[in-house]
Amino acid sequence: MFKLNLKIALRNLWKNRGYTLINIAGLSIGMASCILIFIFIRYQLSYNQQFAKKDRIYRVVSYWKYPDGEEFSKGVPMPLVPAMRNDFAMLEDVAILQRGGGVIKVKDPQGKERLKIQERTFYVGPEFFRLFDYPWLQGDPQKDLVEPYTVALSEEMAVKLFGDWHRAVGQTINYNNKTDLRVTGVFADIPQNTSNPIKIAISYAGFESRNLKEWNNVNDGTECYILLKEGQGIADLDAPKTAFLKKYYQDSGTTKSDLFFQPLAEIHRDENFGNFSNKTTGMKEIWGLAIIGVFLMLTACINFVNLATAQAVSRSKEVGVRKVMGSRRSDLVLQFLTETLTLTFFALLLACVITEAALPSLAGLFKEKLSFSLIDQPLIMVFMTGLVIFVGLLAGFYPALIISGLSPVLAIKNKVSMGNAGSGALRKILVVLQFAITIILITGTLVVLKQMQFMREKPLGFNASAIALPSIPGDSLSILKHDILKARILRIPGVLSASFCSAAPSSGDNNLTNFAYNSSKDEDFQINSKSADEDYVKTFKLQMVAGRVLSKSDTVKEFLVNETVLKKLNIVNPQEAIGKIIRVSGRYKAPIVGVVKDFNNMNLREAISPVILYSSKKSSQMLAVKMDTRQIPAVMKNIEKMWNATFPNHVFSSTFMEEDINHYYESEQVMGTLFKVFASVIIFIAFIGLFGLVSFVATQRTREMAIRKVLGATTFELVRMLNTSFIIMVFIANLVAWPVAYIFISKWLSRYTYRIELNIWPFVLAMLISMLVTLLTVSLRSYRAAKTNPVDALKYE
């Protein structure tokens, strides 16, 4: 029976190959998009899921609640880790992960320098590898990294440094030109879908003496992970946490300091805190892509339903004859479902080809290693099988019921029309729904692109154009050469100014600390501190509101503050703050000498923080160089040459300020690209379906149009007749789509502290686009039908 049904299905699909092609095109593109979205979502949800103890691992993060806002940091105070080991009995282990970085040197057996590279490093202890069970190729994770000045390498890094990871253990590497580290272990390469991309793990035992008493100093570079004991739940930490906060954290009046225990699975999906891989994909984006995937398949299925029910007219005689010959309705339903599933299967084959072709572009867009392998990833096969069954039943069940339910008497007498071949009202509802989905995506795309343009063009309170940020070594010998380097670079033609600093005005690397204003008592909010020199304001073109810039100094002796600091202190006149003494981190005490106009110190999703600037050479991590835009390539070559001459034992590395800022909005740029691509796909699917439906309607009304033409109707009147109903349906679709689009777009924009004003123009433009494309699509097909010679349609009547 199945073999017979399949043979009939193939015959009918070939007979109506025009509509088969339209359906396969729509379904295959929709299915390919769904498969791509599934691959991406599955990959994003796989982050940090490769560890055996993943369900018991949590990251400790910092949080502050102010009367006028809140602050998040993935960092913790350095003394928190040993304190948690002592105060939380329900924890099996506590591990610290401290970010570092510097020059790695390797010598040959003769003592000659063989390799010199700049690499990011992490300070860890053996407890870190008890939480995260990375496979070790050599060494013992429970014993290695216990002693100071030892290091473990990833397989990739061991090969890079020594040519063969088998020879790495026992070797010595030099770190930052001052410390020799003995390699004690090699672990397997960290998977890309991990939030901690560790390649060089240095023993924390040689680092732990720093800042172990500064509870009010939180740096994003210090992370803490905990492992709950078996049988313990996260709720069991509430009472000990309350006692812990009361014991170690100072009460700051209206500010509430808190700690969150973030599940390992949420680290990659929480944009408030971030992670060391600098990759986050929020659940809103994941859900948004999932909804787009549903929209895509729904649009393709609506195409199929509309065309299949419209085709019922041409297949009415077949149904009538089958019923007269004794076929039951269930047999006919099974026959038409077989056709649908067969067509869907062919669409899936084409979708696999499209997926394979499009996957490299998607992987490049997300900068991820995505793969489409049915053998290595059987879940994809399960998804595709489910997709075929779901789409086949969703798209085919209703048309099968309609076609199998036709009256055999009417069918044989050729009296079945579009009106009684299924509900015409339902067909119109489906067209409206299809276009409503299309309009929602068009509107969303327009708003996303507008918000992205707003973020690119919004004044940030400083000038980021043509500013290079070469890193500088911070060891004591290198600090003595800082002024020499600056003097040399300032003499390069095309260099306008230069400034030593710990970070640019807008930076993802922030240091939050407590401070006191004109008093011995700390204020009830944290402050974002940045080291700068006397040329910082000039280099970044910050605007002074009151006072003067910092004077030249190697150590902290005065401060600049931004306007937000004064607002939080309820100071209206900036001049009142000049000369007032402030104390930062309980260590640095100096007067305020100037107030700078507010600038966006983080991305535009977040409000401007209170910022303090001070001079401190030992805190400087980069030299910001402002250049003439016309001479950037030549200037950069000269900067690298001067840098290498000044620091021959280090490795030159530099970024551009504008590139760093653009990196903040990488997820928005990706989502904007996806919206454009998938909106285009949905528009394509919707309008090829519309073209097919119009073609069928025009074919069914050929005799009517011929009679009207004989009676004097013009071609314009005939085209308008066919256009009117579709234009009305698209207009209704706009009315349906607008409130839904408004809700989704408003929620998306609410993520941003600084955002565009949502007005009516994106909605109006989406309506004009949808109506214009509909008018063009319908007119092209209806014009061809209207120009047909009426004699050809009526000569057999």
Side-chain angles (χ1 to χ4, degrees), residues 81-220:
V81 176
M84 291 200 77
R85 290 195 183 109
N86 294 328
D87 292 21
F88 286 79
M90 62 287 301
L91 298 182
E92 182 177 315
D93 231 327
V94 181
I96 192 169
L97 184 63
Q98 177 69 47
R99 180 181 53 203
V103 177
I104 302 293
K105 292 182 180 178
V106 178
K107 296 181 179 179
D108 60 21
Q110 289 72 40
K112 185 179 179 181
E113 183 180 295
R114 182 174 58 82
L115 181 67
K116 180 175 69 173
I117 56 174
Q118 179 88 18
E119 287 291 339
R120 183 161 63 161
T121 63
F122 291 91
Y123 294 92
V124 302
E127 61 277 356
F128 181 83
F129 290 101
R130 289 198 291 268
L131 271 70
F132 300 93
D133 50 340
Y134 296 112
W136 278 56
L137 308 177
Q138 282 187 326
D140 186 347
Q142 305 305 319
K143 297 178 181 179
D144 295 334
L145 303 179
V146 173
E147 299 178 7
Y149 313 120
T150 56
V151 62
L153 306 174
S154 70
E155 180 183 357
E156 177 190 352
M157 185 55 61
V159 171
K160 185 175 183 179
L161 296 180
F162 302 107
D164 184 353
W165 65 265
H166 295 88
R167 296 185 296 173
V169 172
Q171 300 278 0
T172 299
I173 63 174
N174 182 267
Y175 181 50
N176 277 336
N177 298 300
K178 60 181 179 180
T179 307
D180 286 334
L181 304 174
R182 180 169 53 90
V183 180
T184 59
V186 177
F187 51 87
D189 289 334
I190 306 297
Q192 192 180 26
N193 56 341
T194 306
S195 296
N196 297 320
I198 302 174
K199 295 182 180 180
I200 302 176
I202 302 174
S203 171
Y204 186 74
F207 183 86
E208 61 185 359
S209 61
R210 310 180 189 182
N211 301 324
L212 287 183
K213 294 184 179 180
E214 295 187 9
W215 278 94
N216 292 310
N217 194 342
V218 177
N219 189 283
D220 284 344

Side-chain angles (χ1 to χ4, degrees), residues 354-393:
I354 296 172
T355 300
E356 192 65 43
L359 194 61
S361 298
L362 183 70
L365 178 64
F366 285 101
K367 299 179 181 177
E368 304 278 12
K369 292 182 179 178
L370 304 178
S371 62
F372 179 49
S373 173
L374 302 182
I375 298 175
D376 297 335
Q377 299 170 321
L379 193 60
I380 296 178
M381 176 64 80
V382 174
F383 174 76
M384 292 195 307
T385 303
L387 194 63
V388 169
I389 295 173
F390 175 77
V391 172
L393 294 178

Side-chain angles (χ1 to χ4, degrees), residues 466-487:
I467 295 180
L469 302 172
S471 60
I472 54 171
D475 58 277
S476 56
L477 291 177
S478 297
I479 289 176
L480 298 176
K481 300 179 181 180
H482 282 187
D483 288 337
I484 298 173
L485 174 66
K486 184 176 179 181

Side-chain angles (χ1 to χ4, degrees), residues 13 51 54 91 120-121 130 159 200 224 263 312 335 420 426 460 467 515 527 571 617 658 662 695 711 716 785:
L13 291 176
F51 306 109
K54 60 181 182 294
L91 298 182
R120 183 161 63 161
T121 63
R130 289 198 291 268
V159 171
I200 302 176
C224 173
Q335 168 62 45
N420 51 28
L426 177 62
L460 299 175
I467 295 180
F515 86 110
I527 198 165
I571 298 175
K617 274 202 172 177
E658 288 177 303
N662 288 336
S695 298
L711 294 176
F716 175 77

Side-chain angles (χ1 to χ4, degrees), residues 320-344:
V321 171
R322 283 176 177 272
K323 282 192 171 184
V324 169
M325 297 297 293
S327 291
R328 295 169 298 180
R329 186 172 187 182
S330 59
D331 296 330
L332 293 172
V333 168
L334 184 61
Q335 168 62 45
F336 291 117
L337 282 178
T338 302
E339 286 187 24
T340 304
L341 289 171
T342 303
L343 187 146
T344 307

